Amino acid sequence: MKKKLSIIIPAYNEEKNISFLVSELIKSLNSTDYDFEFIFVNDGSKDHTLNEIKVQAELHSNVFYIDLSRNFGKDYALKAGIDIASGDAIITMDADLQHPPYLLPKMLKLWEEGYDIVYTYREEANPHVKGYQKLASNLFYKGINAISDITLENGISDFRLLDQKVVNELKQIDEYEIFFRGLVKWVGFLQIGIPYTPAKRHTGEASYSFFKLAKLAIGSIMAFSVRPLYIATGLGLFFSVSALLYIPYILISYFAGYDALSGWASLIATVAFFGGLQLLVLGIIGSYLGKIFLQTKHRPNYIIRSTNLGKTKNDLIRV
Ligand code: UDP
Ligand code: MG
């Protein structure tokens, strides 16, 4: 029996890319010896993305859709697809054709050779992004590698192949905040990364704004590390030890006859500095506390509005 591939594609306002993507993927996959299915996850699109997917589902019996109840974000859309996919391997890729389908045969070959995870990373800085975005992206990867326990290649992408046994592990993960690139590294297994040069977006605009990206970056780092809390503790320790050393210095200066009481401005500066530092540290602690609060609610990662996958609704909304 042929092995089956499930290709999961999160889509948010991608109406003009769907039919082109399906035809490109069919072209690349027809030359391989696998059965394959496409699972589009419509992440609360405001345009006609869902209709476009439905048109493809009418044309091809192996095109399926999961329509989420609202926009949950790409990682959550991916989780919805992964929870439902049943292929021997699953491939996740973007709907905008930035992830080149011609890499698929190479990824499949590596899988057949025994790798459980074949992921991709940008060969060089994406030629289609602006200077400040490159800088922010570099900072993000440096930051997450420095203060968390996983190491991500600069420009690691969501274009990847996962063996069924990896998918089974990912399905078990019950986390409020999901950052797939990190999770996939974290699960381990036999992994290999291949470089790729991203294509230009087929049509439309990338939907992540600067603030959405910044929020995502901080959230991702916090989801993978409690080291900011240790940094806060270290900072507190450093300043309290320094303050302790300062007291004997004042006393000695007083008895030695120096005027230890001058320096009003520097006193105010120091008080303001420590006030700020305490708020910062409280903020860090509070953010983790907030995440615990959200996690304890055990809300589902996503809600499905409708799907044409042949399972009962209850099966699908188990999460
Ligand atoms: N996407 C999504 N939900 C969102 C934002 C994006 O499912 O809230 C999808 C989008 O349709 C695309 C992929 O995630 O298939 C990558 O999005 P985009 O091209 O905007 O980001 P970039 O290429 O900058 O990573
Ligand atoms: Mg894109």
Side-chain angles (χ1 to χ4, degrees):
M1 214 174 83
K2 281 186 184 178
K3 287 185 189 168
K4 190 172 98 179
L5 309 173
S6 303
I7 295 140
I8 297 173
I9 305 154
Y12 174 62
N13 296 346
E14 304 280 7
E15 59 181 5
K16 295 212 177 72
N17 295 329
I18 304 292
S19 64
F20 189 68
L21 179 70
V22 170
S23 68
E24 287 295 297
L25 285 174
I26 289 178
K27 245 190 272 169
S28 318
L29 288 168
N30 267 346
S31 58
T32 64
D33 197 24
Y34 298 100
D35 278 335
F36 51 88
E37 64 179 4
F38 303 108
I39 301 177
F40 282 93
V41 186
N42 179 38
D43 187 17
S45 297
K46 294 186 177 65
D47 64 0
H48 297 109
T49 300
L50 182 63
N51 278 348
E52 285 297 316
I53 302 170
K54 284 182 174 167
V55 168
Q56 293 303 313
E58 290 282 311
L59 292 172
H60 309 279
S61 59
N62 58 347
V63 172
F64 300 98
Y65 65 83
I66 300 170
D67 184 29
L68 298 186
S69 63
R70 63 170 168 88
N71 178 253
F72 281 85
K74 180 185 182 180
D75 286 280
Y76 301 89
L78 280 173
K79 175 88 165 99
I82 282 176
D83 284 345
I84 284 165
S86 60
D88 296 288
I90 68 142
I91 294 164
T92 59
M93 65 193 298
D94 286 0
D96 57 5
L97 290 124
Q98 288 198 286
H99 295 157
Y102 67 79
L103 271 185
L104 289 173
K106 187 174 172 184
M107 293 165 83
L108 289 164
K109 191 161 165 281
L110 288 164
W111 175 52
E112 291 292 354
E113 283 171 14
Y115 287 101
D116 303 313
I117 298 176
V118 185
Y119 62 87
T120 63
Y121 56 92
R122 290 196 300 260
E123 188 146 41
E124 60 217 53
N126 188 345
H128 310 295
V129 301
K130 299 181 194 87
Y132 81 87
Q133 285 173 329
K134 276 184 206 167
L135 184 75
S137 150
N138 282 342
L139 277 178
F140 168 66
Y141 288 107
K142 287 226 162 63
I144 195 161
N145 291 340
I147 61 174
S148 71
D149 302 323
I150 49 166
T151 307
L152 297 182
E153 275 89 353
N154 203 347
I156 193 166
S157 83
D158 279 316
F159 183 24
R160 65 173 81 81
L161 181 149
L162 305 167
D163 186 87
Q164 195 176 41
K165 54 180 173 283
V166 179
V167 176
N168 288 340
E169 293 305 322
L170 288 173
K171 283 181 187 176
Q172 308 297 325
I173 289 176
D174 166 33
E175 285 184 23
Y176 157 75
E177 202 154 29
I178 300 180
F179 173 52
F180 254 100
R181 278 167 269 180
L183 276 184
V184 168
K185 271 275 158 130
W186 179 86
V187 290
F189 291 96
L190 204 55
Q191 309 205 357
I192 185 167
I194 53 177
Y196 81 105
T197 309
K200 200 169 168 347
R201 221 174 197 287
H202 182 55
T203 64
E205 287 277 318
S207 49
Y208 280 103
S209 68
F210 178 76
F211 286 107
K212 217 169 156 188
L213 280 176
K215 195 172 154 233
L216 206 68
I218 294 172
S220 314
I221 289 175
M222 288 181 63
F224 271 86
S225 169
V226 287
R227 219 165 284 171
L229 288 174
Y230 302 151
I231 295 172
T233 314
L235 272 176
L237 204 68
F238 172 76
F239 284 109
S240 44
V241 170
S242 317
L244 271 182
L245 293 177
Y246 191 55
I247 296 167
Y249 165 76
I250 296 173
L251 286 176
I252 292 166
S253 337
Y254 177 75
F255 287 115
Y258 298 113
D259 181 9
L261 284 178
S262 70
W264 175 252
S266 61
L267 194 69
I268 293 295
T270 318
V271 169
F273 174 69
F274 284 108
L277 196 69
Q278 280 168 4
L279 284 180
L280 175 78
V281 170
L282 268 180
I284 296 176
I285 298 170
S287 310
Y288 279 99
L289 198 67
K291 288 191 191 299
I292 298 171
F293 169 66
L294 291 169
Q295 177 77 35
T296 53
K297 286 177 188 261
H298 283 294
R299 288 200 184 148
N301 287 133
Y302 54 84
I303 296 169
I304 295 171
R305 187 166 160 264
S306 64
T307 171
N308 66 342
L309 275 152
K311 294 192 181 175
T312 65
K313 211 174 161 205
N314 281 343
D315 270 351
L316 292 173
I317 308 182
R318 71 196 132 76
V319 198

